[in-house]
Amino acid sequence: MKKSSLALLLTLSPLAAFAATAPLDLVGPVSDYKIYVTDKIDELVTQTQAFTDAVKKGDLATAKKLYAPTRVHYESVEPIAELFSDLDASIDSRVDDHEKGVKAEDFTGFHRLEYSLFAENSTQGLDALADGLNKDVKDLQTRVAGLTFPPEKVVGGAAALLEEVAATKISGEEDRYSHTDLYDFQGNIDGAKKIVDLFRGQIEQQDKAFLAKVDKNFATVDSILAKYKTADGGFETYDKVKENDRKALVGPVNTLAEDLSTLRGKLGLN
């Protein structure tokens, strides 16, 4: 991260040279975003170790407790993690992605462990899956450390995170066994908001009204999520979210996804 601004700019992406926003103005936010992602993945690695240790010790209560707070770090940086499709599949695939369902040999990662912990209420026979998850998140850490972050991927990630919320979080389908969807929801929202905040100055130069609208919708979503926070900083299970609150989330989330999908264009990164 100590390259000169110009040297870093030249490694970012050929598209940056044609940005409506001055190319050098993108260097700082992209560099700061890599620091943010790196920190989140470092936390993911540390907490995954604790989570998988609990699984292997047969400590069901601790494993259940650590599942959602561990996964939230992955959710917040998912647009970058998904650049490595092999690791994304092994870390974060869902049962629907596998023809043989929970019996599929390639159904691994968080959601496979979630199934055993919450649906089967068991830690039996999970050592290999726990070791595999631990290995994969460390591999992700190594790969991200050597990754050049293209500005168009970074900016586009804000919309991708909100689309993820709209597609799988509001319905409750992702964490179907643990019902810990609100942790993922918050991770996606925080990740998208971080991108907006890092590029706030550039966005404001292009469209102040747009930025005000985005901020208002983020505040609406945050106010609804705040209702379900628990004293320990976590969240209630998703089945406790009232139907009117689920419906109230749909509008601002969809609007945010649509608005943020225009962000690359506003910054000249299409």
Side-chain angles (χ1 to χ4, degrees):
M1 305 305 291
K2 293 184 179 179
K3 291 182 180 181
S4 70
S5 293
L6 182 57
L8 180 58
L9 171 67
L10 293 175
T11 66
L12 290 176
S13 167
L15 290 178
F18 303 102
T21 301
L24 283 173
D25 289 342
L26 299 173
V27 174
V30 172
S31 299
D32 289 343
Y33 185 65
K34 181 164 187 178
I35 293 170
Y36 168 78
V37 171
T38 300
D39 287 347
K40 289 293 182 185
I41 292 179
D42 288 348
E43 292 180 52
L44 174 68
V45 167
T46 299
Q47 294 191 30
T48 298
Q49 183 71 64
F51 169 61
T52 55
D53 283 350
V55 171
K56 292 177 69 175
K57 288 176 184 175
D59 188 346
L60 181 63
T62 298
K64 284 183 173 182
K65 183 179 179 180
L66 294 178
Y67 169 76
T70 299
R71 240 179 68 75
V72 71
H73 301 298
Y74 189 86
E75 291 292 319
S76 64
V77 299
E78 203 160 14
I80 297 301
E82 286 179 343
L83 294 176
F84 307 104
S85 58
D86 59 328
L87 288 178
D88 185 53
S90 61
I91 291 171
D92 198 44
S93 67
R94 298 199 298 274
V95 67
D96 304 326
D97 300 323
H98 304 274
E99 188 177 343
K100 294 183 179 179
V102 294
K103 303 298 184 184
E105 289 185 9
D106 60 346
F107 181 28
T108 60
F110 280 112
H111 291 304
R112 176 60 185 84
L113 290 167
E114 178 200 8
Y115 170 75
S116 287
L117 296 175
F118 292 90
E120 296 186 312
N121 220 40
S122 173
T123 59
Q124 294 300 308
L126 300 181
D127 284 15
L129 286 164
D131 287 341
L133 176 60
N134 216 31
K135 177 179 177 293
D136 286 339
V137 296
K138 288 177 180 176
D139 190 1
L140 178 65
Q141 183 183 44
T142 299
R143 294 197 206 180
V144 168
L147 179 69
T148 294
F149 281 35
E152 67 276 11
K153 290 289 187 183
V154 174
V155 173
L161 284 162
L162 269 299
E163 288 161 4
E164 173 88 2
V165 172
T168 66
K169 300 299 187 294
I170 292 176
S171 66
E173 73 176 70
E174 181 153 2
D175 290 299
R176 66 191 70 182
Y177 310 117
S178 61
H179 306 296
T180 55
D181 303 84
L182 290 179
Y183 286 85
D184 292 1
F185 205 126
Q186 188 71 67
N188 289 157
I189 295 294
D190 287 348
K193 192 184 298 179
K194 183 67 176 182
I195 293 168
V196 171
D197 285 343
L198 288 174
F199 288 88
R200 180 167 294 274
Q202 292 80 2
I203 299 168
E204 192 169 31
Q205 286 180 1
Q206 302 291 339
D207 194 337
K208 285 186 178 181
F210 168 85
L211 187 59
K213 182 184 177 186
V214 166
D215 285 342
K216 182 179 179 182
N217 280 313
F218 270 129
T220 299
V221 172
D222 281 340
S223 68
I224 295 172
L225 291 180
K227 295 181 184 180
Y228 297 96
K229 286 192 174 179
T230 53
D232 62 0
F235 286 95
E236 300 279 2
T237 52
Y238 195 59
D239 53 322
K240 294 182 181 178
V241 177
K242 297 175 182 176
E243 188 61 31
N244 61 328
D245 279 336
R246 293 192 189 199
K247 290 179 179 177
L249 285 167
V250 172
V253 166
N254 283 332
T255 301
L256 277 168
E258 291 168 7
D259 285 348
L260 293 177
S261 71
T262 69
L263 197 51
R264 288 198 310 182
K266 289 182 183 297
L267 298 181
L269 291 170
N270 277 337

